[in-house]
Amino acid sequence: MSAILDFPVKPEARPYLDAFDGRQRDVTPSWLAQSRRRGMTRFAELGFPTRRSESWRYLDLQSLQQKPLLPAGPQPGGHEATARAQLAGLELPGRGPRLVILDGRFAPTLSRIDDLSAGVWLGATEAAIAEREDLFREVAEEVPGDPAHPFAALNAAFFAGGFILDIDAGVAIDQPIEIVHLASGKDPRSYHTRSLIRLGEGSRATILEAHTGDGRYWRNDVVAVRLAAGAALTHAVLVEEAAEAVHLAELDAILGADARFSGFALLLGGGTVRHEASVQMVGEGAACRLDGAFIVHRTQEANIVTNVDHQVPHGETRELIKGVAAGRGHGAFQGKITVREHAQKVDAHQLSRNLILGGRAVIDTKPELEIYADDVKCAHGASVGALDEAALFYLRTRGIPDAEARHMLIEGFLREPVEEIADPVLREHLLRRLARRLEKLEE
Amino acid sequence: MLEIKNLHARLDDGREILKGVDLSVAEGEVHAIMGPNGSGKSTLAAVLAGREGYEVTEGSVTYRGRDLFAMPADERAREGIFLAFQYPVEIPGVNNMYFLRAALNAQRRHRGEAELDAGQFLRVVRQRLKVLDIADDLLQRAVNVGFSGGEKKRNEIFQMAVLEPRLAILDETDSGLDIDALRVVARGVNGLRAPDRAIVLITHYKRLLDYIEPDRVHVLQDGHIVQSGDKTLAAELERIGYGTFAEAPETAEPA
């Protein structure tokens, strides 16, 4: 056995450690073997987060902890017919670039990435090791030391697929780029994907990452976003995972001077879903939007977690997160904005608004500002309420049946953050997915 | 069309507001119900439309031969009852046009008619806007959100014109309106007058009746109808005030 047994291993990490030892014999290059081992060691030490860990306190991971979902094997499993059926309806209209990841691995026959503009490199993470090792290293080597990110460490140990988008300075892509993550459901596994979006100075792109699947699986996704000065990225995430699926995603963005990042997450399905976005403003004048919406019903759980770190002056942050919980669903928002001592003239605003439908649903919301600078404009707010009965009555007096009227109000409530998305094709697509989700809402 | 018999209703907190209202509205007629603040006018409108928070303790209401209280609010609307609100509700995020098409199509489905697609609906709407002289930017905004008081009332009348109800009840639609908005309301109501429709105007003031000529005028006071008459009653009320009727409610017989 290996040297990594020289430290205490958390019991829930043991099955993953055993799986790791079984498949690490011929990893090359050696730096990759080392960073994988570093990730594994880190996860073995940390184990699953407990509810005492502040940023995980609203999520119940008991069932995953008790019934491990081991990483999918190194070979892609096929199942493309299933994947095609899953893609239908989920696809973004138009013939823009699309990269499909099936069961954690790049699916070339479902993808459309050969017709890209000059100055754009888009490909599977695993393909970059041969073609662009510089990019691959940037994705692979970072293993978070932060105890709040045990699954990012596990991801570093096991990641197989993912995507890399690298755009040269000054290149603007107008058509949205679509990344689709599918899970065939043929094998109850975990899929560890690791991706990088790197925009050169003054470049511009819009990306949609959609996630869906069947059966029981665990998606553990890590995305790094690196925006050079003046770059602008819209990054939307659509989560429509299977009812039994666990979806844990971490997006980590670093913004250069005057960069613009518009992050959006629409969480519509999945048993346990957590979307975390962390943004570091390292260049002056950078701005970000972190918007999102979630819907939970039955016993679903959804968390949106945001961290924005204003390290330099003249930054701007806007967050609007809306949530709806029905049935015995549980939704939560945790957002933190930090303004460091020298980060004067920062303008930050954070708003969490939620609807509870019925007596058994639960919403937690925790907006938080941590401000060390003295010349800033920061505000936050949170609300949790029921559907507006006066509005419901008004719609019904026009003949709209009760259930339809309720859906109109819920949709009206959730549309606001989606409408912040600038690209019209993407915006309309997400609004359609939202409307479709509401048709199946069980209150 | 509408038969109200000995209607008693109270608020959830137990206060009795309607204390035996009798009213009969026939097809093709326009009735005005006038009365001072607190007389029960708005409660009557709310009970007819099916608002929660009121309990009917006695009496009956029949609408086109059916027991009105056996129908939930949305079904009443699909059966052709329209209430123009005194205070129209703001609904953020719901587009006015989308809302109104959903409403019209719900009613058409109920009647067994084909639903209108966006294009067909737009043609109906454009024509109504023109007749009522309402700006069409109203359509693209969220329902009543950020509307001025006058715009909200115009929007009520516009909805009424599109939905073409059998029985329209206008709850103080004239309150707080300038003369232009009042004309829009009057045009909407007069345009809807038809042999198979009825309209009930609930109002505090005679002013609206200068533009819409009612067939019958009723005075509602302390939960009863204390006097009924033709359109001249409104003028008389304006002259002598509501006080006169309050002194002798017992002797006043509903017509």
Side-chain angles (χ1 to χ4, degrees):
Chain A
M1 295 295 275
S2 66
I4 50 176
L5 291 184
D6 296 346
F7 55 87
V9 172
K10 285 281 167 59
E12 68 272 18
R14 173 63 65 187
Y16 298 91
L17 183 60
D18 292 345
F20 185 81
D21 283 339
R23 62 170 77 165
Q24 284 308 303
R25 300 205 188 331
D26 32 81
V27 172
T28 52
S30 63
W31 65 261
L32 180 59
Q34 279 162 21
S35 83
R36 286 197 185 282
R37 188 161 297 278
R38 220 166 42 241
M40 189 65 245
T41 306
R42 192 78 190 126
F43 180 72
E45 283 173 341
L46 294 169
F48 274 44
T50 66
R51 293 212 163 190
R52 282 192 301 276
S53 165
E54 189 55 35
S55 69
W56 292 89
R57 60 186 287 199
Y58 298 121
L59 205 67
D60 183 358
L61 293 169
Q62 287 279 326
S63 124
L64 181 61
Q65 195 163 344
Q66 284 155 9
K67 287 190 284 176
L69 284 164
L70 295 176
Q75 293 310 314
H79 311 302
E80 297 206 348
T82 309
R84 274 183 207 284
Q86 290 174 340
L87 259 178
L90 189 72
E91 309 152 288
L92 202 57
R95 297 281 307 169
R98 174 191 300 148
L99 189 149
V100 177
I101 296 165
L102 171 59
D103 293 340
R105 301 298 293 254
F106 176 52
T109 57
L110 301 170
S111 301
R112 197 164 56 207
I113 55 168
D114 33 21
D115 190 22
L116 296 161
S117 347
V120 179
W121 196 92
L122 171 64
T125 302
E126 61 269 37
I129 198 162
E131 292 177 39
R132 290 289 304 271
E133 197 181 332
D134 58 321
L135 293 174
F136 183 74
R137 271 189 96 131
E138 197 170 336
V139 183
E141 278 200 300
E142 198 171 313
V143 178
D146 184 349
H149 295 95
F151 301 121
L154 184 67
N155 181 294
F158 281 109
F159 78 91
F163 71 95
I164 295 177
L165 173 67
D166 182 45
I167 302 181
D168 287 352
V171 175
I173 306 177
D174 290 320
Q175 202 163 21
I177 295 168
E178 187 181 14
I179 312 290
V180 187
H181 300 255
L182 303 174
S184 68
K186 304 298 180 194
D187 196 12
R189 290 288 182 172
S190 51
Y191 303 115
H192 303 264
T193 41
R194 206 166 173 92
S195 305
L196 170 69
I197 301 165
R198 203 171 71 168
L199 267 61
E201 240 173 77
S203 67
R204 192 175 73 229
T206 298
I207 297 177
L208 168 66
E209 284 198 65
H211 299 262
T212 197
D214 288 301
R216 181 168 182 261
Y217 57 93
W218 169 20
R219 198 187 301 289
N220 180 25
D221 186 46
V222 173
V223 179
V225 172
R226 303 289 178 258
L227 303 186
L233 175 70
T234 295
H235 181 264
V237 174
L238 171 64
V239 177
E240 298 190 20
E241 302 280 26
E244 286 180 88
V246 177
H247 173 107
L248 305 177
E250 300 201 2
L251 180 143
D252 157 47
I254 300 177
L255 275 56
D258 299 313
R260 297 273 175 281
F261 177 67
S262 301
F264 176 78
L266 184 58
L267 313 184
L268 300 181
T272 303
V273 175
R274 182 180 188 274
H275 178 83
E276 176 168 357
S278 299
V279 178
Q280 294 177 60
M281 309 266 199
V282 301
E284 290 196 21
C288 83
R289 285 207 71 98
L290 291 177
D291 298 320
F294 62 81
I295 304 175
V296 286
H297 72 174
R298 296 186 191 161
T299 57
Q300 290 175 336
E301 285 197 292
N303 281 16
I304 290 182
V305 182
T306 66
N307 306 290
V308 178
D309 184 2
H310 284 276
Q311 301 177 0
V312 294
H314 297 287
E316 186 184 295
T317 295
R318 288 287 176 277
E319 293 184 26
L320 174 63
I321 310 289
K322 289 197 166 184
V324 171
R328 285 185 292 140
H330 177 203
F333 166 70
Q334 279 175 282
K336 184 172 179 177
I337 298 176
T338 305
V339 183
R340 306 271 184 108
E341 197 180 340
H342 301 292
Q344 302 294 3
K345 307 281 183 193
V346 160
D347 181 346
H349 191 268
Q350 186 182 53
L351 182 61
S352 154
R353 295 192 58 210
N354 301 278
L355 267 183
I356 288 195
L357 308 173
R360 293 186 301 170
V362 176
I363 293 274
D364 287 294
T365 174
K366 190 173 157 246
E368 193 182 350
L369 297 173
E370 205 173 289
I371 300 169
Y372 300 100
D374 51 19
D375 183 14
V376 297
K377 206 168 94 186
C378 294
H380 63 177
S383 69
V384 181
L387 216 51
D388 180 354
E389 288 295 329
L392 188 61
F393 177 66
Y394 188 81
L395 295 179
R396 292 178 62 220
T397 63
R398 300 308 184 242
I400 299 172
D402 188 59
E404 190 182 340
R406 297 178 77 86
H407 285 175
M408 278 176 93
L409 292 179
I410 297 166
E411 189 180 345
F413 175 77
L414 289 174
R415 281 177 76 97
E416 192 185 355
V418 190
E419 283 172 347
E420 292 293 341
I421 295 172
D423 184 88
V425 174
L426 180 55
R427 185 176 61 237
E428 292 305 315
H429 179 65
L430 293 174
L431 287 172
R432 276 194 302 274
R433 300 311 292 180
L434 174 62
R436 187 177 162 278
R437 171 67 186 84
L438 288 172
E439 285 168 13
K440 295 182 289 182
L441 182 68
E442 292 170 19
E443 288 190 39
Chain B
M1 164 107 26
L2 184 71
E3 288 289 339
I4 302 175
K5 289 196 176 124
N6 191 32
L7 181 64
H8 290 250
R10 64 183 181 203
L11 290 169
D12 277 351
D13 65 14
R15 268 183 301 154
E16 190 168 32
I17 308 291
L18 300 181
K19 301 169 180 173
V21 173
D22 290 279
L23 180 68
S24 175
V25 180
E27 290 191 338
E29 291 182 346
V30 175
H31 287 230
I33 298 176
M34 303 185 68
N37 292 331
S39 60
K41 300 191 300 291
S42 284
T43 297
L44 178 61
V47 167
L48 293 177
R51 190 194 291 272
E52 285 177 17
Y54 299 89
E55 189 193 350
V56 173
T57 53
E58 214 182 318
S60 68
V61 177
T62 316
Y63 166 69
R64 300 180 70 209
R66 288 182 65 187
D67 174 9
L68 186 75
F69 299 135
M71 294 186 267
D74 46 317
E75 189 184 343
R76 293 180 200 185
R78 292 194 295 276
E79 284 288 329
I81 297 179
F82 179 89
L83 172 67
F85 280 54
Q86 182 178 2
Y87 302 108
V89 181
E90 297 192 6
I91 309 182
V94 177
N95 172 279
N96 211 18
M97 180 114 135
Y98 171 67
F99 147 69
L100 195 51
R101 184 154 77 96
L104 181 60
N105 279 336
Q107 303 203 9
R108 291 180 66 93
R109 270 198 309 277
H110 183 73
R111 296 193 295 259
E113 297 166 11
E115 295 190 24
L116 299 185
D117 65 28
Q120 293 166 321
F121 177 72
L122 197 62
R123 280 193 287 281
V124 171
V125 159
R126 285 261 155 78
Q127 189 237 331
R128 300 293 190 284
L129 285 171
K130 209 169 156 189
V131 170
L132 293 173
D133 194 20
I134 295 176
D136 58 4
D137 74 314
L138 198 90
L139 296 173
Q140 300 312 328
R141 293 155 67 182
V143 180
N144 294 323
V145 176
F147 286 28
S148 70
E151 281 176 328
K152 284 181 182 171
K153 298 296 178 76
R154 283 175 201 236
N155 196 25
E156 294 292 288
I157 296 305
F158 166 59
Q159 291 172 33
M160 183 179 80
V162 171
L163 296 174
E164 300 183 304
R166 298 293 295 264
L167 171 65
I169 303 162
L170 281 70
D171 185 11
E172 307 220 15
T173 302
D174 53 331
S175 65
L177 289 191
D178 62 26
I179 200 75
D180 288 340
L182 198 66
R183 285 201 179 106
V184 168
V185 170
R187 210 177 298 144
V189 172
N190 288 328
L192 205 67
R193 286 183 98 140
D196 60 348
R197 295 214 179 93
I199 295 158
V200 175
L201 305 168
I202 292 173
T203 179
H204 189 102
Y205 304 102
K206 174 178 165 289
R207 196 171 63 140
L208 182 64
L209 306 183
D210 295 338
Y211 298 91
I212 306 167
E213 193 174 296
D215 297 297
R216 301 287 296 165
V217 175
H218 311 273
V219 180
L220 185 68
Q221 195 133 29
D222 190 30
H224 308 80
I225 287 182
V226 294
Q227 176 95 359
S228 295
D230 62 16
K231 63 183 179 187
T232 58
L233 179 58
E236 194 182 335
L237 271 175
E238 183 100 320
R239 197 164 45 79
I240 60 176
Y242 291 113
T244 320
F245 299 99
E247 285 161 19
E250 256 60 56
T251 60
E253 288 296 317

